[in-house]
Amino acid sequence: MIQNGPYNEKVMDHFRNPRNVGVLENPDGVGTAGNPVCGDIMEISIQVEDDVIKDVRFRTFGCGAAIATSSMVTELVKNKTIDEALAVSNRAVAKALGGLPPIKMHCSVLAEEALRSAIDDFRRRQGKP
Amino acid sequence: MIQNGPYNEKVMDHFRNPRNVGVLENPDGVGTAGNPVCGDIMEISIQVEDDVIKDVRFRTFGCGAAIATSSMVTELVKNKTIDEALAVSNRAVAKALGGLPPIKMHCSVLAEEALRSAIDDFRRRQGKP
Amino acid sequence: MDTKPIYLDHAATTPVAPEVIQAMLPFLEGAYGNASSLHSFGQEAKAAVEAARTRIASFMGARPEEIVFTSGGTESDNFIIKGIALSRRDRGNHLITSSIEHHAVLETCDFLRKQGVSVTLLPVDSNGLVDPDDVRKAITDKTILISIMHGNNEIGTIEPIAEIGSIAREHGVAFHTDAVQTFGHIPIDVDELKVDFLSASAHKLHGPKGVGLAYIRKGMKITPLLHGGDQEKRRRASTLNVPGIVGFGRAVELADASMHTESSRQSALRDRLIKGLLSSIGDTRLNGHPVRRLPNNANLSFAFVEGEGLLLSLDMEGIAVSTGSACTSSSLEPSHVLKAIGVPVELAHGSLRFTLGRDTTREDIDRVLQVMPGIVHRLRAMSPLVRKGAVS
Amino acid sequence: MDTKPIYLDHAATTPVAPEVIQAMLPFLEGAYGNASSLHSFGQEAKAAVEAARTRIASFMGARPEEIVFTSGGTESDNFIIKGIALSRRDRGNHLITSSIEHHAVLETCDFLRKQGVSVTLLPVDSNGLVDPDDVRKAITDKTILISIMHGNNEIGTIEPIAEIGSIAREHGVAFHTDAVQTFGHIPIDVDELKVDFLSASAHKLHGPKGVGLAYIRKGMKITPLLHGGDQEKRRRASTLNVPGIVGFGRAVELADASMHTESSRQSALRDRLIKGLLSSIGDTRLNGHPVRRLPNNANLSFAFVEGEGLLLSLDMEGIAVSTGSACTSSSLEPSHVLKAIGVPVELAHGSLRFTLGRDTTREDIDRVLQVMPGIVHRLRAMSPLVRKGAVS
Ligand SMILES: Cc1ncc(COP(=O)(O)O)c(C=O)c1O
Ligand SMILES: Cc1ncc(COP(=O)(O)O)c(C=O)c1O
């Protein structure tokens, strides 16, 4: 794919029109990953019904790739079961975006971590391990 | 003076049309300077009448500046007395040529040396010191 | 995008002036000789190189033989600093520089440190200024070189070079300034600045990329960085980049002619940009000195957002800016310069550098002022760092 | 002069091909971005650089990431040799090279010798060939690099690089070849040649001056020569010379297309020139290998006369040649290469190098053959070295 910028069109689409931005009013789980000192922080909130992620929102402070991977991970897990969501790896996120520059792969790791953190929070609230 | 080559027009003129090339049939003095290993050798022969250099010839193996300085030194000393000729310095030769590139100033020294060597030979033949 | 692109990244590189291209073309097309060749092709090239050298030397108050052409600012910095470290090894092994130098200086010093040279990195104040007194105090009897940049490439602060030069002279220590950002933008006279060495790069003043210069004061001995042929009086080997050098010469000529008017024109536009952004966008700060700054530099931090997002959003509007120095834009580290002036790290991540040029118009600035608030607002709306209601 | 100038100094530098200039112009005019910049201007520049890198890599059987762009052959030689000496310091301090290398290699080795590195300078035979067996014998357990040039710039001899490469591999020693004179002129495949490092320079193949490359085999660690920004995967800092690199890419493309036919066309013209000169002018010898030589190189010595006089006389006829390597033409020393192959010093002083190019025609060669006897005769008539009657 010919790229005119550091990112491909799919990444740029998610940067330009990020899906599921924001915070849920009454989330069942909230997780964050990264920290602002490193220049990236992601926050994901999920709403779960019958073990299915019914709604998901994100907020991200970070580069274009950070915003795009957050957006993509919310798309990938929406309406998935918790177990299906946990199976979404950072590589899957990067792949769904048509690839990321090597130097930006850590953003996809952050997206995976934020999601796991939200699911952990959900389970904690459920009293699960 | 604007130069289009390493040498000015005057030097090039003496390179193109060297004056007094050759060897005198019956010279009163012959001198050489330089050596071929260094890339420069000059030979000057003079014909002297009443202490005046009546005729002079040169042969030179060397760069453009070597040829031009040899040519110029013969011009400068022709019809001069021996003492006047001895007063012709290498700087005078270079000046008469309108200047030489710094890296080529040694050629003018060689020209002076070859001339002095020819005069020495003349004096030796005359039984003078 | 439909609108004309607006290039506000002149500190990264500048458009090559049409006059410069015109000056270079004959040396690409017909007069392609090697300036070391004795024949006419070579001598024609050599004459053009020497004319450029003379032109450039006179622009900076130097003698032609004090100019060594290089491949750019980085090579000049490496050449001078390593060259002095080597040639003065017997006199000492201590360098003094500042913490806000370009990487070409800092990484070179780092390299030398690994070779056993000791390096003092001077701090700067919150405006980015080096204190000449700090320089004085740092000098030891082992100090062989002081290297302080003339104008900073990120925040635009102009350092007190002449004052530092006086101190260097008093102590008999050689003094280098990296003038890559100031050369052709503000007046430079090597005697007034009291510098022994100076680096410049043509592509920062509408000249071609891949050519620069090292100024080496007469009498200063230095070990070459590029060994080989006899070019540049044996101070820098390699076939001379004739078209590049000719272009550099022409670029300096153009800068000389326009510098005075451009510097006041650009300063006014720069101030309009700074004031406009500070007043229309909350939680925003200016980085660098309010007054002692490059005429074309505006560097601001926008709280709660990250610079790359701002950059990409502006790019989508056809506006080109930078998040820091171009050569490290691929790095994840926030700028060492912003850190040195005490900008908190999160804030440093949200910084943009706008650098104006001869081609920048008031309309360009007004367009930036028009789109920036929306862009910052949109990204802040996505940011988890914004406390609810903290920013409108 | 009225006749069309005849340029026979292509080993010094070549005319930039019109197609190369055309390829460069867009990157001087509109697409002037810094290839490190994230915005569209920068990314457009970067894409062009990467396309050139890919093109050049495939031409030499390398991977794109193995190519580091530099400012020319000299920088590549300095970078590789010093970089390996530094990065392998803990493994040894011995270099092997030949006595006929370009000054960019020899002077670099000399510099390193002063830093305590030991250097073996291998001899060559009377044709200028390095004996691979000599290389084998010179290797010690301290040897960290072998550097032998691919084709000699003065006498055109092509060295047995693949054989030496095998020996280097057997012994696990890194191997560099200076291919500045062969790149784009004869086929090069880094795997077939078994080299780990290679230097090339664009202006020797109708590309622009001021740009070259260092090939660095994957996995080979090397200390940079230019420290600074993150360019070239941190192996060579400095703003990329985008137009230069693009021009280099185009030049390689053109060389790739024409190399095969040009090399036989030029060899034929070269042989015509050599035979013609040897037969029409007495006391003349060919320097370099009779067969294993660059397609475009003819180097001859004319007894009793000095080269500069020949060069100037030819220049007056509009014919550009060289007395040796262009970068040392201002030196008074006779060529170290001619010395190494055993040409007596006086004879070495009377040597000329004719190097042909794509633009050289049979008419050009015939014109040289027409004027040379008269020129030599005229200078011999002036020479005190000619014994009366020794030469007609
Ligand atoms: C202050 C400063 N020094 C050095 C450099 C390096 O110059 P170049 O990229 O031309 O090597 C730059 C720009 O990149 C700079 O801004
Ligand atoms: C064999 C060889 N190596 C290195 C160089 C140096 O190349 P450059 O002048 O482009 O630095 C040259 C030519 O000058 C050469 O012929």
Side-chain angles (χ1 to χ4, degrees), chain D residues 42-359:
Chain D
Q43 297 297 318
E44 185 178 5
K46 185 178 169 180
V49 165
E50 296 314 321
R53 195 191 306 277
T54 303
R55 190 73 202 69
I56 294 171
S58 101
F59 170 71
M60 61 195 287
R63 312 178 202 202
E65 65 273 20
E66 293 176 323
I67 307 296
V68 173
F69 289 114
T70 67
S71 67
T74 301
E75 185 189 324
S76 298
D77 286 341
N78 276 260
F79 168 29
I80 292 165
I81 298 174
K82 293 182 193 170
I84 288 298
L86 274 170
S87 67
R88 306 199 166 193
R89 202 159 35 172
D90 51 340
R91 292 208 237 160
N93 67 343
H94 177 231
L95 305 177
I96 298 172
T97 187
S98 86
S99 50
I100 63 162
E101 298 297 313
H102 189 268
H103 281 102
V105 168
L106 290 179
E107 296 269 324
T108 299
C109 288
D110 234 45
F111 164 77
L112 289 172
R113 193 185 279 123
K114 286 181 203 130
Q115 316 294 315
V117 174
S118 87
V119 180
T120 300
L121 272 194
L122 297 178
V124 291
D125 71 11
S126 61
N127 288 325
L129 283 177
V130 172
D131 183 345
D133 239 32
D134 285 348
V135 176
R136 186 193 307 277
K137 285 177 204 147
I139 295 174
T140 73
D141 57 357
K142 294 270 176 247
T143 308
I144 49 177
L145 182 70
I146 298 165
S147 178
I148 304 288
M149 73 199 314
H150 193 196
N152 183 272
N153 50 304
E154 293 190 37
I155 58 174
T157 301
I158 295 169
E159 302 297 339
I161 296 305
E163 288 90 320
I164 299 170
S166 298
I167 293 169
R169 289 228 174 133
E170 262 172 49
H171 293 79
V173 177
F175 181 34
H176 165 240
T177 193
D178 175 339
V180 170
Q181 288 291 336
T182 50
F183 202 82
H185 296 276
I186 61 175
I188 287 185
D189 181 295
V190 289
D191 288 336
E192 281 174 23
L193 291 179
K194 300 192 176 69
V195 294
D196 303 309
F197 303 96
L198 179 147
S199 308
S201 191
H203 73 95
K204 306 287 190 187
L205 54 137
H206 303 277
K209 294 176 180 65
V211 56
L213 67 81
Y215 160 79
I216 300 175
R217 187 174 289 280
K218 205 176 162 145
M220 290 279 164
K221 293 270 171 304
I222 183 163
T223 304
L225 183 68
L226 298 194
H227 292 87
D230 286 342
Q231 293 91 352
E232 300 297 85
K233 301 195 192 297
R234 296 188 62 80
R235 291 167 300 180
R236 200 266 187 185
S238 193
T239 301
L240 288 171
N241 177 355
V242 182
I245 291 167
V246 167
F248 193 3
R250 189 75 179 101
V252 164
E253 206 161 68
L254 296 172
D256 206 1
S258 69
M259 198 165 62
H260 189 71
T261 49
E262 274 303 311
S263 106
S264 49
R265 192 186 73 87
Q266 289 180 31
S267 306
L269 289 179
R270 171 200 70 188
D271 291 342
R272 181 179 179 84
L273 177 64
I274 294 172
K275 285 212 190 79
L277 291 173
L278 289 175
S279 68
S280 65
I281 305 173
D283 295 295
T284 298
R285 62 165 272 173
L286 173 69
N287 300 314
H289 200 285
V291 182
R292 279 188 69 105
R293 71 185 302 138
L294 289 170
N296 72 340
N297 174 295
N299 186 309
L300 298 104
S301 297
F302 303 89
F304 317 126
V305 294
E306 205 266 353
E308 191 192 291
L310 294 170
L311 184 153
L312 293 173
S313 304
L314 282 167
D315 194 42
M316 279 154 39
E317 300 284 343
I319 300 169
V321 303
S322 154
T323 51
S325 81
C327 19
T328 49
S329 57
S330 61
S331 144
L332 306 172
E333 289 282 299
S335 145
H336 67 287
V337 176
L338 298 181
K339 210 163 137 187
I341 61 171
V343 179
V345 181
E346 309 94 275
L347 202 50
H349 279 295
S351 302
L352 283 189
R353 179 185 70 179
F354 302 83
T355 44
L356 288 58
R358 268 186 232 150
D359 47 321

Side-chain angles (χ1 to χ4, degrees), chain C residues 135-185:
Chain C
V135 176
R136 185 194 306 278
K137 286 178 204 144
I139 296 174
T140 73
D141 57 357
K142 293 271 175 247
T143 308
I144 49 176
L145 183 70
I146 298 165
S147 178
I148 304 289
M149 73 199 314
H150 193 197
N152 183 272
N153 50 303
E154 293 189 35
I155 57 174
T157 300
I158 295 169
E159 302 297 339
I161 296 305
E163 288 89 320
I164 299 170
S166 297
I167 294 169
R169 290 227 173 135
E170 262 172 49
H171 292 79
V173 176
F175 181 34
H176 166 240
T177 193
D178 175 339
V180 169
Q181 288 292 337
T182 50
F183 201 82
H185 296 276

Side-chain angles (χ1 to χ4, degrees), chain B residues 6-7 12 15-18 21 23 36-39 41-43 58-65 67 103-104 106, chain D residues 303-306 308-310 312-313 316 329-332 334 345-346 349-350 378-386 388:
Chain B
Y7 302 123
M12 284 308 288
F15 170 72
R16 262 191 299 258
N17 311 299
V21 175
V23 265
V37 171
C38 300
I41 184 160
M42 290 182 195
E43 175 199 276
F58 83 89
R59 291 201 305 178
T60 290
F61 164 85
C63 63
I67 291 170
I103 196 171
K104 296 295 190 180
H106 73 283
Chain D
F304 317 126
V305 294
E306 205 266 353
E308 191 192 291
L310 294 170
L312 293 173
S313 304
M316 279 154 39
S329 57
S330 61
S331 144
L332 306 172
V345 181
E346 309 94 275
H349 279 295
R378 176 176 166 276
L379 289 170
R380 282 183 176 168
M382 268 191 239
S383 171
L385 299 181
V386 180
K388 262 201 182 84

